[in-house]
Amino acid sequence: MGLYAFNCSEKLQTVNIRRGTCGHSVLSLGSMKTQWIWNKEKTKIVEPLDYENVIAQRKTQIYSDPLRDLLMFPMEDISISVINRQRRTVQSTVPEDAEERAQSLFVKECIKTYSTDWHVVNYKYEDFSGDFRMLPCKSLRPEKIPNHVFEIDEDCEKDEDSSSLCSQKGGVIRQGWLHKANVNSTITVTMKVFKRRYFYLTQLPDGSYILNSYKDEKNSKESKGCIYLDACIDVVQCPKMRRHAFELKMLDKYSHYLAAETEQEMEEWLITLKKIIQINTDSLVQEKKETVETAQDDETSSQGKAENIMASLERSMHPELMKYGRETEQLNKLSRGDGRQNLFSFDSEVQRLDFSGIEPDIKPFEEKCNKRFQVNCHDLTFNVLGQVGDNAKGPPTNVEPFFISLALFDIKNNCKISADFHIDLNPPSVREMLWGASTQPASDGNAKGSSPESVIHGIAESHLRYIKQGIFSVTNPHPEIFLVARIEKVLQGNITHCAEPYIKNSDPTKTAQKVYRTAKQVCSRLGQYRMPFAWAARPIFKDTQGSLDLDGRFSPFYKQDSSKLSNEDILKLLSEYKKPEKTKLQIIPGQLNITVECVPVDLSNCITSSYVPLKPFEKNCQNITVEVEEFVPEMTKYCYPFTIYRNHLYVYPLQLKYDSQKTFAKARNIAVCMEFRDSDESDGGPLKCIYGKPAGSVFTTNAYAVVSHHNQNPEFYDEVKIELPIHLHQKHHVLFTFYHVSCEISTKGTTKKQDTVETPVGFAWFPLLKDGRIITFEQQLPVSANLPPGYLNLNDGESRRQSNVDIKWVDGAKPLLKIKSHLESTIYTQDLHVHKFFHHCQLVQSGWKEVPGELIKYLKCLHAMEIQVMIQFLPVILMQLFRVLTNMTPEDDVPINCTMVLLHIVSKCHEEGLDSYLRSFIKYSFRPEKPSAPQAQLIHETLATTMIAILKQSADFLAINKLLKYSWFFFEIIVKSMATYLLEENKIKLPRGQRFPEAYHHVLHSLLLAIIPHVTIRYAEIPDESRNVNYSLASFLKRCFTLMDRGFVFNLINDYISGFSPKDPKVLAEYKFEFLQTICNHEHYIPLNLPMAFAKPKLQRVQDFFSFAVDRLTSVDSNLEYSLSDEYCKHHFLVGLLLRETSIALQDNYEIRYTAISVIKNLLIKHAFDTRYQHKNQQAKIAQLYLPFVGLLLENIQRLAGRDTLYSCAAMPNSASRDEFACGFTSPTNRGSLSADKDTAYVSFQNGHGIKREDSRGSLVPEGMTGFPDQGSTGENTRQSSTRSSISQYNRLDQYEIRSLLMCYLYIVKMISEDTLLTYWNKVSPQELINILILLEVCLFHFRYTGKRNIARVHDAWLSRHFGVDRKSQTMPALRNRSGVMQARLQHLSSLESSFTLNHSSATTEADIFHQALLEGNTATEVSLTVLDTISFFTQCFKP
């Protein structure tokens, strides 16, 4: 498929269908039988401006603008950086000449991947490309929130005393028996008669207190008397009158005398009554104070009734007074500006800062860090101890050498999960038994000192011979993982015979001497042969979380059974070991001191399993720790992309069946010697690449397995670790040589007989490669009696029959040797399909004539590759696929099939939850390569074209759905390819219109058109896929703003949004706003909107002049764009598009409204906290950009200030307190905010000319409407196609929506410049100006501070994020004073809706309430100051 194949007729048809207003049209998507019928009401299409052309034409204007940073994209906005790979090792794990030695394409690409540094495309301002939560500022919330003191809280604190007196207001506070004096003027005080009465102290609903007396506890009867405590001024004791008596002194110098029955009761009554008197006194003082203040205010207002101070000063002819007045007003303004806060800081969304849904940072590939623990080997002792050699004065030691190998076994999964860790804990005197005092044997035959000491990866070989510390790692920890220690000794004979002295040790000294003498002879003759002796085990983990069992100990040493040597036998023995009652193993007394501990954080001097030193590593360090290789389970969830070079092969001889062979007379004590060779010729020798055991060379040419005494069918458990060469060919193989070892020890024998230790008894081999791949499955091999040259040609029966090689087979070439191998390599794969694909690519690159369709066959076969291999070699496979996409062949089907393989890999990664590896690959590993062919297309061109082809297929809907669902990957690849092309080809300096060819623009447009029907038509069929592609496309277009022609991207966005309709289902509306939100989060969103003045056409300017000259003689900026006009939407495309869609959404149901409002508010929050735009002039320009948003609010003012939204109660009298005022805060729509009656009001401008204003209520209630429309929430209402629709019965706005909209309004009003604000006021109609001020009044109402007590009450009623509590009518009795009003107001406010940042749990702490009160108080303060600033400026501009 060519890049420029574009069906123009289809494009035109699609565009016509997309932009049609009405009618019936059909879009054919391939052979998909779907009709795209458009019979919908469409929003008006506004074509965006040609951004690049406008920038070029207005270059002078832009550069001369002092705020040009708001108009221009910054220079060097994009760059490529090379980041060094972060290695754990001191040096690279890749050998220096690895790439030169490699011949296989796959190996070369692996080595290149592990050697190449990361290539990252940097977007300088990428931190600003998300929503406000991702901004790089230190904190969106103030470090210290100011604590404002509100009178309502003070009053509540005072009321706490009275509230604590009773559990419920209006109830009984205290009750009990008292003696009351009978008041009679004819009787003296001392003669007063006391009668016993039952008293109830009660608080009335109006807050006053009354003391009623009854004959008994039943207060249903008529009261015998009552005392109103409002008139009580004091309470004192009267001990002289009667015991436990007290006096209530009243205002009219009258007293009541009461007496309690006990002293304690008297004290309790006194305390309660004194509290009540104090409360009444405080209330009285406060009311008097308010009365005086009110009188003073009345006197002041009466003196200057019709004029204020400023007006008086302005009429004065005294210049000093006028100057003083102006300075005073300016000082007040400056005072209001001190300590101001960002209103959005106290918003609930900012306070919560919910980071859910935000993608985590993308990290480079790294080695997976599994559960690691350190094993320290200290000592091994048996109960046969003695003095060995020259160690006569030292402590007793073992009298013969023992050798330890440690490995991890998993009983649960029945497998071995680590390599062997070999340790030599023998003291030097015991080691000398093997080689003598002067010569240390080496496996390669070199004597110590015969050649200079070799260095491996910068470490002296001698430092690697006696490592006693190892680090094991476990991917899947659980309690059934055991550390098994196998103990071996020098070959001597039968295991039972050799273990007997250690088990039955009656005379320790004599036994030790005897064992030592025998061991000394055996070691000198058979020192290189080992025999199994004992084993022990211990658990590692306590649980599946990886908690180490640090207190665990090894089991006793169990004698090794010669018939149970294999790993499978050990796993069975471990299962029995867990059940001691079933264990019948013979114990060898001894002690193994090996500790298990956590890996220290500051671990140093450690090496990898390939002996490469890790950071930090000290030179000449001898106390080295080695990492033991883990055999990770072959499960996808445990796989990760390889990042380092590792190339190990583990070979395991399992069993030799020699009981039926007749070729050799003696073949009992059979030793197996393994070698790795690269030739089968007679002069070929073994390679020195086998990892040696302690005390020997680090790398050796051969390795021996343990010997089973007198066993013709021996089993083996040995593990041979081989460092494979970088390049493998068909001659590489492992050679097994079998020896009969003579174990006879005779001091009388001849020297000749003594020297005959081993006799060859057979050979076997297995080639590493089969069909170019390494073979690791279990194999059965025949054994030959001789080893002629060319023996590798005899691998199968057919070759054996046809070969002329003189060879003699043992037992008729039956498979006698069982072996298996395990590959731990990051440069070789065992997957057949991956191998064949790379092999074919290598043939094509070498000039091999390609067979048509061959490459497609191998591409299709890649769908069957193993998921584990796919993950492990992910960067290598993906990069090769991208090379094939652009380089390999001109066949049309190759790019599509290649993309289908990419799609398969991407989908598999997502299914396994490993999509983070794909993101890491794109950001760090993917580096687009320039095609070798001169006319070849680039990756972004080819990939976009193939995506179109796949989306237009009619048969393979599964592939289409996958491409839609995982489209983000392909878009990200296209973006990085585009960015790399621009930077590496130096195209970034070209004008944006010339950076990419026009044909590529057509391809992107075609891709957009191919996606649209899958979103707008199939959204219900494929919800996840359509949502994903909607977001991916938005992210792609957002990034295109940085790379290409911005006007072209505007057109793409416009075409995509045009595919939606106002009558779309809710899910499509959500898609639309998710798309817009992603686009508008671009880091240079402000310059994209060009916040500058656009001169109107000449004819329009003339019309505007005559229009405004009629009513206004003041000069205003006629270029101010304050309405959501077509010109505004064209000049400021993105914000205009967003505001238009928001205007439509506000007429829709709650979910869509909520989405639209959230997008707007979050965007303004981002502007407010953007550290690049913190200067007040910058913020003013940004606020001016959103000026049409105010008009949008004016259109919906009846929903913001509606009767159902605000609480309205009866008007308070003039003497009402501040709490009564708060309760009686009526809706601004229920009273004339600027006019006192229905008569026409006149408002004058500064120049003294008046303009006629209608009654303020006219904008809220349409003519002929007697009340507000039904604002019920049932059903969806009809949406209006026009952005300025007439009033319709749409759903109500809830408290969250109103507060969010008003917060946006306050931000605009606060930040916009005064000149712009005055110009706007002069441009709007009189009615709109009054409504603007009503909005300020609405702000005061909705952000008023209601007190801590109300905050706690509202939180208790909180049900969901946005409240939907049913409001109930409150019926209260007649109220007498402030306290009753307070209670009524709080009861009502508990049902109001609010936005909270509290932790919405069942229990709310005092700290939560206090914090929420801080936020609410600061919000109310900032709102009030903003409104005051605006009103102050308004009064300066207009004379009443």
Side-chain angles (χ1 to χ4, degrees), residues 1241-1264:
Y1242 290 87
V1243 179
S1244 301
F1245 289 84
Q1246 280 183 321
N1247 54 17
H1249 291 80
I1251 179 168
K1252 190 175 181 180
R1253 308 277 191 191
E1254 298 297 333
D1255 178 22
S1256 64
R1257 288 169 291 182
S1259 65
L1260 305 180
V1261 182
E1263 184 179 357

Side-chain angles (χ1 to χ4, degrees), residues 13 303 489 684 916 1064 1122 1252 1307 1407 1427:
Q13 180 188 11
Q303 290 175 357
K489 64 191 293 293
S916 59
D1064 282 334
Y1122 64 94
K1252 190 175 181 180
Y1307 167 79
V1427 172

Side-chain angles (χ1 to χ4, degrees), residues 51 55 67-73 128 1046 1050 1079-1092 1131-1135 1163-1164 1166-1168 1170 1172-1173 1177-1186 1307:
Y51 191 92
I55 292 293
L67 299 178
R68 53 182 169 272
D69 288 343
L70 296 177
L71 302 172
M72 300 170 55
F73 272 42
F128 297 89
R1046 289 162 286 195
F1050 280 160
I1079 292 291
C1080 293
N1081 277 332
H1082 191 276
E1083 58 265 37
H1084 305 310
Y1085 167 80
I1086 298 299
L1088 284 171
N1089 284 293
L1090 291 177
M1092 63 181 186
H1131 296 155
H1132 317 288
F1133 176 68
L1134 291 181
V1135 66
L1163 198 54
L1164 291 180
K1166 181 179 178 181
H1167 298 332
D1170 195 322
R1172 300 170 297 173
Y1173 308 135
N1177 292 341
Q1178 292 174 317
Q1179 286 288 313
K1181 206 68 174 177
I1182 294 172
Q1184 181 180 335
L1185 194 62
Y1186 287 90
Y1307 167 79

Side-chain angles (χ1 to χ4, degrees), residues 104-106 771-772 832-846 848 858:
S104 164
L105 175 62
F106 185 80
D771 298 329
L832 176 64
H833 308 295
V834 174
H835 168 75
K836 286 186 174 182
F837 170 68
F838 274 88
H839 181 65
H840 179 80
C841 293
Q842 186 171 6
L843 291 177
V844 173
Q845 289 181 6
S846 62
W848 178 72
Y858 290 121

Side-chain angles (χ1 to χ4, degrees), residues 958-972:
L958 182 61
I960 294 175
N961 295 346
K962 283 185 177 181
L963 181 58
L964 294 172
K965 189 172 185 178
Y966 309 122
S967 55
W968 73 265
F969 175 83
F970 300 95
F971 282 128
E972 290 289 331

Side-chain angles (χ1 to χ4, degrees), residues 438-504:
S438 59
T439 307
Q440 176 179 351
S443 300
D444 56 358
N446 293 331
K448 182 179 180 181
S450 61
S451 61
E453 184 179 22
S454 61
V455 176
I456 299 173
H457 298 298
I459 307 173
E461 188 173 354
S462 60
H463 297 165
L464 300 173
R465 286 199 176 112
Y466 296 104
I467 297 177
K468 299 179 182 179
Q469 298 174 151
I471 293 180
F472 289 81
S473 61
V474 178
T475 300
N476 181 27
H478 55 81
E480 296 188 64
I481 292 178
F482 285 82
L483 180 64
V484 176
R486 281 179 164 130
I487 314 299
E488 300 173 358
K489 64 191 293 293
V490 176
L491 176 61
Q492 184 176 345
N494 184 270
I495 297 176
T496 303
H497 174 73
C498 295
E500 186 175 353
Y502 292 91
I503 300 173
K504 300 176 181 179

Side-chain angles (χ1 to χ4, degrees), residues 280 301 341 495 664 757 832 890 977 1007 1064 1206 1337 1356 1366:
N280 291 336
S301 60
Q341 301 287 331
I495 297 176
F664 303 102
V757 176
L832 176 64
S977 176
L1007 178 58
D1064 282 334
L1206 300 181
E1337 194 174 2
D1356 292 339
D1366 294 333

